[in-house]
């Protein structure tokens, strides 16, 4: 199956700083990438959807100025958590799909963010 | 009411047992139904998907969808300790916006 990587796998940062998480599709061109957040013992919650070269579409309640998403190429999307606070600590997971596949999203291994 | 309901478990079974995992949902617009397996601190891995109602079998896994009851199931035959993971159901109305259940933690003991 298709492979999606994320970097870093875990990061600890201080409150008020910004953190960038990368999501790469390694063996296919990802026309659409998704960013999810997962709190302990809770389901994955979609934060935003991004298509290559377009602005991301954010879900209700997700602050677009806080969670900056860039999808500049068909293999790379980045999520930047700006001015991070302890309540932003979570497991962030990206997924990617290619054109024509309406159901199959390939997930990355996730990034554990801890804000101190 | 959540759009997708899933018992968080844990569900503990002995090796070789048949496992039944279930989700109910409220949104009749869902057309695509998926089951993902997630190991601790890893991303979800797609196991099965079904479009609309019906059954689908793949090896030891069988997925069932009953749209009239808004109920989906995943059966695992001859369960193995390596099947121990969290199983997430997910649904999509066709716009690639997956709605996930909370996941059921499965423990298969040797």
């Amino acid at each position: 199956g298709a492979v999606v990587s994320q970097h870093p796998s875990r990061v600890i940062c201080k409150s008020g700083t910004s953190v960038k998480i990368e999501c790469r599709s390694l063996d296919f061109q990802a026309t659409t990438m998704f960013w999810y957040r997962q709190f302990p013992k809770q389901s994955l919650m979609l934060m935003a959807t991004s298509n290559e070269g377009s602005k991301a579409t954010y879900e209700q309640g997700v602050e677009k100025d806080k969670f900056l998403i860039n999808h500049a190429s068909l293999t790379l999307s980045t999520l930047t958590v700006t001015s991070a606070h302890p309540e932003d600590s979570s497991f962030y997971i990206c997924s990617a799909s290619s054109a024509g596949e309406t159901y199959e999203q390939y997930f990355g291994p996730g990034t554990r963010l801890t804000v101190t | 009411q959540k759009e997708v309901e899933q018992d968080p478990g844990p569900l503990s079974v002995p090796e070789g047992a048949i496992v039944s995992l279930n989700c109910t949902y409220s949104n009749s617009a869902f057309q695509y139904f998926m089951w993902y397996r997630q190991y601790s601190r890893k991303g979800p891995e797609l196991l099965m998907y079904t479009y609309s109602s019906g059954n689908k079998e793949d090896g030891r896994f069988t997925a069932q969808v009953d749209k009239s009851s808004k109920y989906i199931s995943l059966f695992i035959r001859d369960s193995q300790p390596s099947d121990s993971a969290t199983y997430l159901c997910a649904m999509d109305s066709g716009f690639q916006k997956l709605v996930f259940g909370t996941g059921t933690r499965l423990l298969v003991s040797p």
Side-chain angles (χ1 to χ4, degrees):
Chain A
V3 180
V4 175
S5 70
Q6 274 184 248
H7 178 80
S9 58
R10 60 172 45 189
V11 57
I12 301 172
C13 70
K14 292 187 176 180
S15 186
T17 61
S18 295
V19 174
K20 180 184 283 189
I21 302 170
E22 290 187 349
C23 176
R24 292 181 185 273
S25 57
L26 298 185
D27 52 3
F28 69 103
Q29 293 187 326
T31 50
T32 307
M33 286 187 166
F34 307 83
W35 286 95
Y36 294 83
R37 181 167 51 186
Q38 186 178 32
F39 291 107
K41 297 184 180 179
Q42 295 188 25
S43 60
L44 279 77
M45 298 297 294
L46 179 64
M47 298 175 66
T49 303
S50 72
N51 293 296
E52 185 260 341
S54 302
K55 287 185 177 180
T57 301
Y58 290 81
E59 294 301 299
Q60 193 172 12
V62 178
E63 300 174 58
K64 62 178 69 175
D65 294 330
K66 182 169 184 60
F67 298 99
L68 302 178
I69 293 172
N70 184 282
H71 190 172
S73 78
L74 286 171
T75 59
L76 174 65
S77 177
T78 60
L79 167 68
T80 301
V81 183
T82 62
S83 186
H85 288 96
E87 57 265 30
D88 298 324
S89 299
S90 187
F91 193 51
Y92 292 87
I93 307 177
C94 71
S95 71
S97 68
S98 58
E101 295 195 21
T102 60
Y103 61 85
E104 191 147 5
Q105 295 181 24
Y106 302 98
F107 283 81
T111 297
R112 173 76 56 190
L113 170 63
T114 303
V115 184
T116 60
Chain B
Q1 181 189 10
K2 292 181 182 178
E3 276 193 291
V4 179
E5 297 276 1
Q6 186 175 10
D7 188 331
L11 176 62
S12 296
V13 300
E15 184 175 356
I18 297 175
V19 174
S20 173
L21 302 165
N22 311 290
C23 287
T24 59
Y25 63 95
S26 58
N27 188 346
S28 58
F30 289 139
Q31 295 289 336
Y32 298 89
F33 303 90
M34 286 140 282
W35 285 96
Y36 286 85
R37 177 174 61 195
Q38 185 177 25
Y39 292 109
S40 182
R41 298 193 182 93
K42 301 291 184 184
E45 172 195 6
L46 180 65
L47 283 177
M48 300 282 287
Y49 88 94
T50 309
Y51 172 68
S52 195
S53 286
N55 294 358
K56 188 170 186 177
E57 187 173 322
D58 184 2
R60 296 185 296 112
F61 299 91
T62 300
Q64 288 185 352
V65 174
D66 182 350
K67 290 191 69 179
S68 62
S69 302
K70 297 190 177 67
Y71 187 88
I72 71 169
S73 301
L74 176 70
F75 298 96
I76 306 174
R77 290 183 298 280
D78 188 24
S79 56
Q80 304 295 311
S82 58
D83 294 328
S84 298
T86 296
Y87 290 80
L88 300 149
C89 63
M91 306 180 190
D92 182 5
S93 56
F95 298 99
Q96 289 192 304
K97 292 180 66 170
L98 295 184
V99 180
F100 282 86
T102 53
T104 298
R105 188 169 166 226
L106 173 66
L107 302 172
V108 182
S109 55

